[in-house]
Amino acid sequence: MMLVGIIAVCIVLAVLAFFVPRLSRHPERGTQRTLGAGSRAGAKAPGILGRIFSKPFRSSSKAVGRSGSAGRRARGRMPL
């Protein structure tokens, strides 16, 4: 279920970044902040469990950042 939510957030951020690049930064940073909190909470588990629990949040945060930047980059490549 979390996977579907992250995919939906990435799609919304990419579309938002394409149409209104300046306004897409705040939702992107908020999403990354929330995922960072989850990653930090998961990392508090002892030993290898900490890495295992925090990894989905780190990779999701990277995906959110990539989708936002891809939308802004596509907007910059438009001929008009």
Side-chain angles (χ1 to χ4, degrees), residues 48-68:
I48 195 162
L49 286 176
R51 285 190 295 260
I52 291 171
F53 289 156
S54 69
K55 185 174 180 181
F57 294 102
R58 280 186 309 207
S59 59
S60 298
S61 179
K62 286 182 195 176
V64 166
R66 274 188 260 135
S67 67

Side-chain angles (χ1 to χ4, degrees), residues 5-80:
I6 294 299
I7 291 171
V9 167
C10 287
I11 290 171
V12 167
L13 277 174
V15 170
L16 187 65
F18 183 77
F19 288 113
V20 280
R22 286 187 182 178
L23 295 179
S24 70
R25 298 252 184 210
H26 188 70
E28 179 183 341
R29 287 183 185 145
T31 305
Q32 285 182 336
R33 185 178 301 133
T34 303
L35 291 170
S39 177
R40 285 189 301 276
K44 290 184 181 188
I48 195 162
L49 286 176
R51 285 190 295 260
I52 291 171
F53 289 156
S54 69
K55 185 174 180 181
F57 294 102
R58 280 186 309 207
S59 59
S60 298
S61 179
K62 286 182 195 176
V64 166
R66 274 188 260 135
S67 67
S69 67
R72 285 186 289 275
R73 194 170 49 243
R75 171 68 179 244
R77 291 182 182 164
M78 290 291 292
L80 296 176

